[in-house]
Structure formats: C-alpha cells, structure tokens
C-alpha cells in the first residue's frame, strides 16, 4: 500500500530534550516536506526537500533541522524543543514538485513540549 | 502570495442531507487537492483535481481553474463525514501547498 509513515504518532517531551520525528514514504517520491498545524494559523511549511541531499527552508524553519540522506526518509529534528513547538506535525511527499503531481500526507505527529 | 478562502466556515447537517463546500483562490494554480481531517487529526486525500470534475462514491468535486474556484459536494451525509475539510493549492513557481482555512462539518445522527 502506498503511504507516508510518521513516527511517533504522539509524543510528550520536556524542554531541551532532543527529539526526532521520522517520516518514510514507499512511493519513490522525489519531493518531501514538513508542515506544522496550529489553531488559528493553519498549516505552515517548515522545510522541504527536492531530492536526496537537497533541502531548503519553508516559512517557519526556526528551531528545526532536517536531512535527506535517502530518498524514502526525511526526518525532522528538534535539537532543543521549546513549548512553542507544541503542535501537530505532518510529513508530505509527491512524485515531484510542480504541476500534475498529487501530494500524500502522513498520519500526523502530535507533539507536546512541557 | 496566493490566498485561499473556504466557505462556509462551519456547517451542521442532519444525516442524509447534501452539502456543497466552496474553495476560492486568488491566483492561477498548478495543483488543487481536497482533504478531510478526521477527529483524530489525520489528513485524508479526497481528490486531486486541478481542473474538471471527479466523483468517488458520495463525494464529487469540480474545479473551474479559469474562474479560480473549486467545489466539493457531499451527498447523503453520514456521521463519519464529520471533521474539517481543507482545500490546498500549489501556486506556480512555489514549493509549498497553501491550505484554506477549512470548513468544519458536523453531521448529526
């Protein structure tokens, strides 16, 4: 089954404790991205990757890191989480980024930083 | 940047009723998708529809790209249709989806 898989689905952590949210897709997609969803602010892009070893900042990259060492994986790293990073996070992938390509989203990761 | 507006913001239906959700966008787009966010927060792909009309069971969607709007039709609504419906567009020359503000649907048994 074609899918984007995020782990963990739920996470409660403490301020300053490094964490990684994993994202994996099995569709051989080139393009992957991360979004966060907050009440009243909608979904905002954090980082995106056009292909292996090619990443760039989205609208809200502060406090996050990403890497794209393999085509299928695009982990989101919070080196020193803070309470304002409490949010619902989504990973997305598509065959390419441009016209005529459908995006698929992971199940979401609900992160709480206390 | 491109603006995406959805209407109505909230909708309450009795089970079995039909509804139409609207998405207006302010500039030309390459892609347009409709999603359903269920009560558990998952974003479910409904339609990939940059233009034309598609149907999937009780749901159908139409996008008129030249007039910059898309419509999502839900017929014979069920309680499991409850949640938030988003349209999202990919504007030309960008690398991100712009999501609308959503329509929150509640279907009553």
């Amino acid at each position: 089954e074609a899918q984007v898989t995020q782990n963990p689905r739920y996470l409660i952590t403490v301020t300053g404790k490094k964490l990684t949210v994993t994202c994996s897709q099995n569709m051989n997609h080139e393009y992957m991205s991360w979004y966060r969803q907050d009440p009243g602010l909608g979904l905002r892009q954090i980082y995106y990757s056009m292909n292996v070893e090619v990443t760039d900042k989205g609208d809200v990259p502060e406090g996050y890191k990403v890497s794209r060492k393999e085509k299928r994986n695009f982990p989101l790293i919070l080196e020193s989480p803070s309470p304002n990073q409490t949010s619902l996070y989504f990973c997305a992938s598509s065959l390419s980024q441009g016209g005529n390509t459908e995006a698929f989203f992971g199940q979401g990761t609900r992160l709480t930083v206390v | 940047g491109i603006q995406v507006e959805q209407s109505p913001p909230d909708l309450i239906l009795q089970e079995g009723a039909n509804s139409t959700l609207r998405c207006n966008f302010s500039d030309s787009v390459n892609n347009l998708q409709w999603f359903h966010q269920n009560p558990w927060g998952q974003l479910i792909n409904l339609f990939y529809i940059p233009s034309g009309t598609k149907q999937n069971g009780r749901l159908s969607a139409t996008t008129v790209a030249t007039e910059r709007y898309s419509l999502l039709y839900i017929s014979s609504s069920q309680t499991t249709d409850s949640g938030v419906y988003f349209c999202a567009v990919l504007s030309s020359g960008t690398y991100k989806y712009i999501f609308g503000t959503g329509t929150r649907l509640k279907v009553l048994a």
Side-chain angles (χ1 to χ4, degrees):
Chain A
E1 180 188 356
Q3 58 186 6
V4 178
T5 303
Q6 294 178 226
N7 279 297
R9 293 286 315 281
Y10 302 92
L11 179 61
I12 301 174
T13 190
V14 295
T15 298
K17 185 178 181 182
K18 181 179 179 180
L19 67 92
T20 299
V21 184
T22 64
C23 174
S24 180
Q25 49 92 6
N26 63 359
M27 295 168 279
N28 201 34
H29 284 172
E30 290 184 348
Y31 182 86
M32 298 183 75
S33 57
W34 278 101
Y35 291 79
R36 61 178 288 176
Q37 184 180 25
D38 302 289
L41 297 174
L43 281 95
R44 296 175 291 169
Q45 191 184 59
I46 303 170
Y47 268 97
Y48 65 91
S49 170
M50 303 291 283
N51 212 325
V52 175
E53 302 292 1
V54 181
T55 63
D56 207 347
K57 297 175 181 178
D59 293 326
V60 287
E62 295 78 20
Y64 304 95
K65 285 176 57 177
V66 293
S67 68
R68 187 92 180 273
K69 294 183 170 57
E70 306 167 277
K71 200 172 190 178
R72 63 182 292 124
N73 296 323
F74 190 44
L76 180 69
I77 303 157
L78 285 72
E79 295 268 1
S80 182
S82 61
N84 64 12
Q85 293 178 296
T86 292
S87 187
L88 178 58
Y89 291 87
F90 290 100
C91 178
S93 77
S94 59
L95 188 60
S96 64
Q97 193 62 357
N100 302 318
T101 58
E102 182 176 4
F104 295 86
F105 282 74
Q107 322 95 301
T109 295
R110 197 171 294 276
L111 172 65
T112 301
V113 184
V114 297
Chain B
I2 191 168
Q3 304 295 315
V4 182
E5 294 182 356
Q6 291 184 240
S7 59
D10 295 282
L11 188 58
I12 300 176
L13 298 175
Q14 205 64 40
E15 200 168 28
N18 303 329
S19 63
T20 300
L21 283 56
R22 187 176 180 102
C23 172
N24 292 332
F25 43 96
S26 60
D27 204 348
S28 61
V29 298
N30 287 337
N31 288 0
L32 188 146
Q33 292 186 228
W34 282 96
F35 297 91
H36 174 216
Q37 187 165 37
N38 63 23
W40 295 270
Q42 295 175 301
L43 279 173
I44 310 298
N45 282 34
L46 296 178
F47 293 102
Y48 167 73
I49 187 163
S51 64
T53 297
K54 290 185 178 180
Q55 180 154 8
N56 185 3
R58 297 181 296 102
L59 303 182
S60 63
T62 295
T63 297
V64 183
T66 53
E67 296 187 23
R68 300 179 183 169
Y69 74 88
S70 183
L71 302 173
L72 177 69
Y73 306 96
I74 304 174
S75 64
S76 304
S77 57
Q78 301 175 356
T79 56
T80 52
D81 294 332
S82 297
V84 184
Y85 289 80
F86 290 102
C87 69
V89 303
L90 184 69
S91 62
S92 304
T94 72
Y95 301 101
K96 66 183 175 187
Y97 273 87
I98 305 298
F99 281 76
T101 48
T103 292
R104 187 173 300 274
L105 173 65
K106 188 172 179 65
V107 181
L108 304 175

